[in-house]
Amino acid sequence: MSDYVEIAVFLVFFVIFVAVGFLAKNFRKGNLNQLPEWALGGRRLGTFLVWFLVGADLYTAYTFIAVPSSMYAVGSIYFFAVPYVSLAFAIAMITMPKLWTLSKKNGYVTAGDFVSDRFNSNALAMIIALTGIVAELPYIALQIVGMRAILTGMLTPLGGNVNLASNIALVLAIIVLIAFTYTSGLRGTSLTAVMKDIIIFTTVIVVIVTVFVAYHSALHEAFTIKPVYADLPPKFYNAYWTLFIMSAAALYLYPHAINGSLSSMSAQKLRLSTALLPIYGIGLAFLALFGVIIYGVPAAYHMLNITYHNNGAMVVPTLIASVTPSWFTGFAFLGIFIGGLVPAAIMSMSQATLLTRNVIRYLGRELEEKRETFIAKLSMVFFQLLALAFVFIVPETYSISLQLIGGIIILQTLPAVFLGMYVKHLEKYAVVSGWLAGIVSGIYFEVYSNFVYFKYNIIKTTLMPSSMGFIFVGFTALLINLVVVAVVEVIVYALHRQPKTMPENI
């Protein structure tokens, strides 16, 4: 009976979530046939809405499923997710208000718009746009992996063909998400992000308090069972700092983070919302520990091993179901489930906007405003369905690698976007050369590490061996990128050709 209570609570709040998504089109009304209105909310979101919206990209399925799962399966190295968010917000405070100001002044909707103007090159802007589109795909797929884990945790007690039932429910949920995102645009995702984060904050607080009251020695017992979790092996020292520094550098290069930032009402409000974002990091620290705490909660640990065959993706759903009543479990599961839906919507919208503004338009297709927005909406549908198909072929155990692979790719846009805003003399040929070197080396090191060094039959790590221990592939690839950029700049000077300076409007 309790299982049906859990599902009933989940469904009731899901209906409310969907209603909010559809009704949001009337929030601060604008012409949703205009791309800035649909994709950026008309740039009219205030401090707290931007805080919730950008925060929605932190408390995602990545946070609830992938990080605790990796902590559980591998150990302390995956605690890198905690310091990385603090550094990411510092980077955002430096870069995003400036990009917002330039975007407002020049009518930019994407980072590709900025790159095109800054380097006077539609080709370079197209490269950056396509890089962002590809980098988002594994990130969206990761959200869907988390959503499927929640459905599995909720439907397993009912018996029957759980995989089939959860996959059907997942597809239906994605269709509903597509429908209200198509209708309401960023307004829908921003208001549903508020609901999502309220549920998730409540869940984190309740679970942590419950565990430490009912199982006050849970952490002690967990670290006794798994003492390796209390320390970081020396061979992972460099992996740890390269992971958190590069993840921080990557976060605000992702198109969805830029979209969220550009939706702000003003640069000042964006600064304030960014200053408040470290609050999310507090909850993230506790969430990462869920992968350790489960060892100190016997019922949860037993269920994870017996019912779910030690599937790391089920750590958080199992812990929640073991320590909270059924009605609250349904409430919490809904929060995590829509914690995948909301970011997936933002990400697919940002992909669609890049494709429309910086690929289709630059291929010579002049589009009237209404048609441009229509194509962006159709593209959003395509990217959502593509990510859904992608997730069915990726093992859940290695889900965190999805996000990190996206990070390796998106880091190669750093010279064009971040350096482009601040370095006066920067040649587009140097940026393209660096991008190419970074992408090629990143792919090479990924293939070498997984198929040659570790001899895996699938990509499940983003760490590469070196004389200094393991290092995040993204760090090496970006370093090569930056070195190539610098070398090409020197060559330009050596040939007595003055690199083009930054345009006056930048």
Side-chain angles (χ1 to χ4, degrees), residues 117-237:
D117 205 8
R118 165 64 178 85
F119 295 97
N120 191 29
S121 173
N122 289 344
L124 177 55
M126 193 182 301
I127 289 172
I128 298 305
L130 290 171
T131 305
I133 289 169
V134 172
E136 288 283 19
L137 273 176
Y139 215 160
I140 300 174
L142 176 55
Q143 311 311 318
I144 300 174
V145 166
M147 290 157 58
R148 186 163 62 177
I150 288 300
L151 291 171
T152 300
M154 191 165 59
L155 297 174
T156 294
L158 300 181
N161 192 330
V162 175
N163 285 334
L164 178 61
S166 61
N167 287 340
I168 291 173
L170 185 61
V171 171
L172 291 175
I174 293 296
I175 291 172
V176 170
L177 175 69
I178 288 172
F180 83 64
T181 305
Y182 188 99
T183 303
S184 302
L186 197 72
R187 288 169 172 81
T189 52
S190 62
L191 293 188
T192 52
V194 176
M195 177 181 175
K196 175 191 83 72
D197 287 348
I198 289 173
I199 295 174
I200 287 180
F201 271 122
T202 304
T203 299
V204 173
I205 294 168
V206 169
V207 172
I208 288 295
V209 170
T210 302
V211 167
F212 285 109
V213 169
Y215 305 90
H216 56 275
S217 59
L219 268 181
H220 174 74
E221 291 179 19
F223 284 119
T224 300
I225 296 170
K226 288 283 187 178
V228 68
Y229 284 11
D231 199 5
L232 184 67
K235 65 180 180 179
F236 289 126
Y237 285 172

Side-chain angles (χ1 to χ4, degrees), residues 14 42 65 73 77 119 201 221 224 246 272 284 295 306 385 390 446 468:
F14 184 71
I65 302 299
I77 186 173
F119 295 97
F201 271 122
E221 291 179 19
T224 300
M246 290 298 98
L272 182 55
L284 180 57
Y295 285 102
I306 302 302
L385 295 178
F390 185 67
E446 268 295 288
M468 300 179 293

Side-chain angles (χ1 to χ4, degrees), residues 441-454 459 473:
S441 61
I443 293 172
Y444 169 77
F445 290 128
E446 268 295 288
V447 171
Y448 173 79
S449 300
N450 284 275
F451 297 102
V452 180
Y453 185 83
F454 288 110
I459 290 183
V473 170

